[in-house]
Amino acid sequence: METVSENRSFGGVQSVYKHASSTCGCDMTFAVYMPPQAANRPVPLLWYLSGLTCTHENAMTKGGFQEHAAKHGIAVVFPDTSPRGEGVANDEAYDLGQGAGFYVNATRDPWKPHFQMYDYITKELRDLIVSELNVQDRHGITGHSMGGHGALTLAMRNPEMYDSLSAFAPIAHPTRSDWGRKQLSAYLGDDEGCWAAHDSTLLLEEHGWKGDILVDQGASDQFLDLLKPEALAAAIAKRRQPATFRMQEGYDHSYFFVNSFAGDHVAWHAERLT
């Protein structure tokens, strides 16, 4: 890992790293906050997956996670949302290509050579961080919007890899939303049977989750029709899944919303990881 930057924050260190990814076939950048407790002992790790158009930097600078992570003694990793760089396929639309990896392994060209974000998050980056940083092999996962979709689907498909799960305004039913159908067809093809493995509503109905789940959704979110929180809430009820699903009055889809409830989510994960 090449260190891009280091900054002192709430007694810990906020770092940005770059490394050559064999999974994505390009250089990848990610950020990690190490709390002050990591100077003396390994700490558990919370993964934060970002949404459409974001890089590692958005949540790192706007999410407000560092103060809460320092209080509870957990590290937070902020991966990028897609491969990037010269030779990496892209699209003129903001919601496809670079910045819109959707946390899947693409099987169609021109995306297949680089857009392998599912394996990158669950395998390569995970192994790299556990081997190089003073963290325990105990992992929680959360995310916002596209990243909330990623957190829910990665956890439900790999329950042995994650010990706690939450989401902020997730894209909850992508197989029935324009935020999902477009991207899943581009990356995976037109066989909708292949899409179900990347839809948290369908995964929850079929498999559930081994523990409880925390979901926060802004009631004034301008993208409610695309996110479809009602589908996920219905699946929680149908499955009788232990969960806390909160519609937060007056909140929209912005990082002001994420920042407002970041402390609740960090505390939620800390209680289950430590």
Side-chain angles (χ1 to χ4, degrees), residues 50-73:
S50 293
L52 286 167
T53 75
C54 291
T55 69
H56 68 278
E57 187 175 13
N58 296 77
M60 180 185 77
T61 59
K62 299 178 182 179
F65 286 91
Q66 291 86 350
E67 181 177 7
H68 308 295
K71 175 182 176 182
H72 293 284

Side-chain angles (χ1 to χ4, degrees), residues 87-247:
V88 176
N90 200 11
D91 190 272
E92 292 182 357
Y94 76 94
D95 57 355
L96 186 67
Q98 295 185 33
F102 260 75
Y103 304 101
V104 302
N105 289 336
T107 58
R108 295 186 70 189
D109 291 329
W111 315 107
K112 183 178 178 180
H114 300 285
F115 282 73
Q116 302 294 312
M117 289 301 294
Y118 181 92
D119 280 353
Y120 176 70
I121 298 296
T122 60
K123 297 178 181 179
E124 184 178 20
L125 185 57
R126 180 187 176 103
D127 291 345
L128 179 66
I129 290 175
V130 170
S131 66
E132 295 294 332
L133 299 177
N134 195 25
V135 297
Q136 301 172 17
D137 196 10
R138 288 187 59 78
H139 304 257
I141 190 166
T142 188
H144 174 232
S145 194
M146 180 184 74
H149 140 81
L152 293 169
T153 57
L154 267 58
M156 282 189 275
R157 290 184 62 182
N158 302 278
E160 74 286 356
M161 297 178 65
Y162 300 100
D163 302 290
S164 56
L165 173 61
S166 75
F168 299 82
I171 300 175
H173 201 14
T175 61
R176 292 294 177 265
S177 169
D178 287 342
W179 274 359
R181 294 185 63 83
K182 172 183 177 180
Q183 295 83 0
L184 294 174
S185 62
Y187 297 142
L188 304 178
D190 295 329
D191 180 1
E192 296 189 19
C194 297
W195 301 359
H198 304 284
D199 186 308
S200 60
T201 294
L202 300 180
L203 286 171
L204 188 62
E205 288 178 349
E206 183 173 357
H207 302 292
W209 166 248
K210 64 182 181 180
D212 50 356
I213 306 170
L214 172 63
V215 178
D216 275 309
Q217 171 64 64
S220 296
D221 193 314
Q222 60 270 45
F223 302 115
L224 282 174
D225 290 342
L226 293 166
L227 300 171
K228 299 192 178 300
E230 67 281 358
L232 183 61
I236 289 170
K238 181 179 180 180
R239 181 80 187 190
R240 298 183 179 177
Q241 171 70 45
T244 301
F245 193 109
R246 307 190 298 192
M247 294 294 292

